[in-house]
Amino acid sequence: MTSPRLELPALPAVSFIMPVLNEAEYLEPAVRTVLAQEYPGEKEIVLALGPSTDGTTEIARRLAAEDPRVRLVDNPDRDIPVALNLAIAASRHPVVIRVDAHSELTPDYAARGIESLREQDADNVGGIMRAAGRGVVQSAIARGYNSPFGLGGGAYHGDGAPGPAESAYLGVFRRDAIERAGGFDPGIRRGEDWELNLRIRRTGGRIWFDPRLQVTYWPRASFDALARQFFATGAWRAVLVRRYGRANPWRFFVPGALVLGVTVDLAVLVLQCCGVLPWWSLWSALHLGTLGYLAGVLLGVARMPEQRGLRDRVLSFRTLVTMHFSWGAGFLKGILFGGGRTVDRSRTE
């Protein structure tokens, strides 16, 4: 049974909330797409500023001085869920829209999101994330994000049909739904969106996927940063598995199983090369799994659009393998030892 909701006014005012840390290259375009929303209701954007070292804070202060709709709050802890809670606490309006400094919204994003909240009697609505890149490496990483072979085929990475969802990318929330669920958990450093949406659903709330909502996302621009990001994501997904068990979709277990399987297979191959294990044994069946994985990655690369020549395909292959093995290694670490101090610092260095 759905929990009672506060009725939204005819044209609800909107609070956009954005965690910000070392985003000098991306912050201003992201804020501009918020301020340019084709929505006639009152708007504000609250930037939760972490301790940036690249001039981001100065850019944020300039934007706030230029437009009173831009408001600032300090986030000395730098972690995303803490930033989100601080921004929510500093905001004022009945609809809360989470945005990211690496994202750019289509002009109708807020209007369509609020329309879906009403039409679907939803507590949170999310749409499609379209990754984009500048330069050959970031473009390859973007192709990995957009491919079902990269992030497991979640609805918000493709063109799925509208309908109920387990979680949402970013999100257009009713404020009372966030408050009813208790806000973001500051102890979950990655996967905080999924965890909050789970608690919203457990209070009787409804999460809705609406593909009309479109967001451009600018991913990491180096393989080292991508690996650190995905290792942290995998570790904290494991924390959520330890906490919520079967509430997690099965696809989140696959990268960890992949890392285990390939590691055992390589050990078997070494022992066979050393003559410790015979080549014609049941152990050799593990090689088929590894070869099958490589064939699957090659198929994924072959299906990616916007590739020019061998270099792009090699970078696409490297992207997928980096995503899978970094996520899987982090997941195994998280299962064994918990999240601990694991955190993505790829944008702070």
Side-chain angles (χ1 to χ4, degrees):
M1 181 176 179
T2 302
S3 300
R5 298 185 182 90
L6 298 177
E7 185 176 351
L8 292 177
L11 198 63
V14 177
S15 296
F16 295 85
I17 58 169
M18 180 188 292
V20 177
L21 179 65
N22 282 347
E23 300 288 3
E25 182 179 355
Y26 298 96
L27 178 60
E28 185 163 356
V31 171
R32 298 292 183 199
T33 67
V34 169
L35 298 177
Q37 286 293 294
E38 296 171 351
Y39 177 71
E42 184 180 353
K43 298 182 286 287
E44 67 174 355
I45 177 169
V46 182
L47 309 180
L49 301 178
S52 295
T53 57
D54 66 346
T56 293
T57 300
E58 290 71 23
I59 295 172
R61 288 173 179 164
R62 173 173 56 79
L63 292 170
E66 293 173 356
D67 194 316
R69 295 175 295 175
V70 181
R71 302 173 58 216
L72 310 179
V73 61
D74 287 331
N75 173 33
D77 289 336
R78 75 174 56 192
D79 291 329
I80 290 175
V82 174
L84 292 170
N85 285 336
L86 289 170
I88 292 168
S91 66
R92 301 168 292 193
H93 299 320
V95 173
V96 176
I97 300 182
R98 177 180 174 175
V99 288
D100 188 271
H102 264 236
S103 65
E104 297 176 15
L105 311 179
T106 55
D108 61 352
Y109 185 89
R112 288 189 180 277
I114 293 170
E115 180 183 335
S116 283
L117 280 180
R118 279 206 176 88
E119 288 180 349
Q120 307 303 329
D121 197 24
D123 290 88
N124 183 21
V125 175
I128 293 176
M129 180 189 77
R130 296 291 190 198
R134 305 183 184 101
V136 293
V137 173
Q138 191 180 40
S139 295
I141 292 172
R143 289 194 295 271
Y145 267 86
N146 294 331
S147 169
F149 290 85
L151 293 176
Y156 56 83
H157 297 297
D159 295 308
E166 70 182 45
S167 188
Y169 175 60
L170 299 180
V172 180
F173 293 85
R174 294 176 184 261
R175 176 182 291 275
D176 59 300
I178 298 174
E179 294 173 347
R180 189 170 63 244
F184 290 90
D185 186 337
I188 301 295
R189 293 181 169 181
R190 303 287 298 182
E192 70 283 344
D193 296 298
W194 182 90
E195 197 272 343
L196 173 61
N197 282 299
L198 174 64
R199 284 187 282 117
I200 289 175
R201 287 188 284 118
R202 287 184 170 181
T203 66
R206 191 181 202 200
I207 314 301
W208 189 261
F209 170 69
D210 185 344
R212 298 179 304 168
L213 276 65
Q214 302 274 330
V215 182
T216 298
Y217 173 76
W218 299 95
R220 304 299 192 270
S222 73
F223 289 113
D224 179 62
L226 180 70
R228 284 183 285 169
Q229 178 194 18
F230 271 64
F231 183 88
T233 300
W236 285 99
R237 172 54 61 178
V239 171
L240 295 175
V241 166
R242 288 166 58 138
R243 179 182 296 187
Y244 294 111
R246 294 182 180 180
N248 292 266
W250 66 268
R251 67 180 182 272
F252 291 123
F253 295 82
V254 174
L258 170 68
V259 171
L260 275 178
V262 171
T263 300
V264 173
D265 182 36
L266 291 176
V268 168
L269 181 62
V270 170
L271 292 175
Q272 288 177 327
C273 290
C274 294
V276 177
L277 290 176
W279 286 98
W280 301 108
S281 69
L282 290 177
W283 287 107
S284 295
L286 290 171
H287 304 328
L288 297 178
T290 300
L291 291 173
Y293 167 71
L294 292 173
V297 173
L298 290 172
L299 176 62
V301 170
R303 291 184 174 181
M304 288 183 182
E306 301 175 0
Q307 297 181 105
R308 298 182 180 87
L310 179 61
R311 180 182 65 176
D312 279 1
R313 288 172 171 77
V314 170
L315 291 174
S316 297
F317 181 91
R318 184 177 175 183
T319 295
L320 294 181
V321 171
T322 300
M323 286 178 165
H324 298 160
F325 279 85
S326 299
W327 206 103
F331 183 84
L332 295 177
K333 184 266 182 187
I335 286 291
L336 293 174
F337 305 110
R341 297 182 179 274
T342 303
V343 66
D344 175 22
R345 298 297 190 209
S346 60
R347 284 182 177 161
T348 64
E349 299 174 3

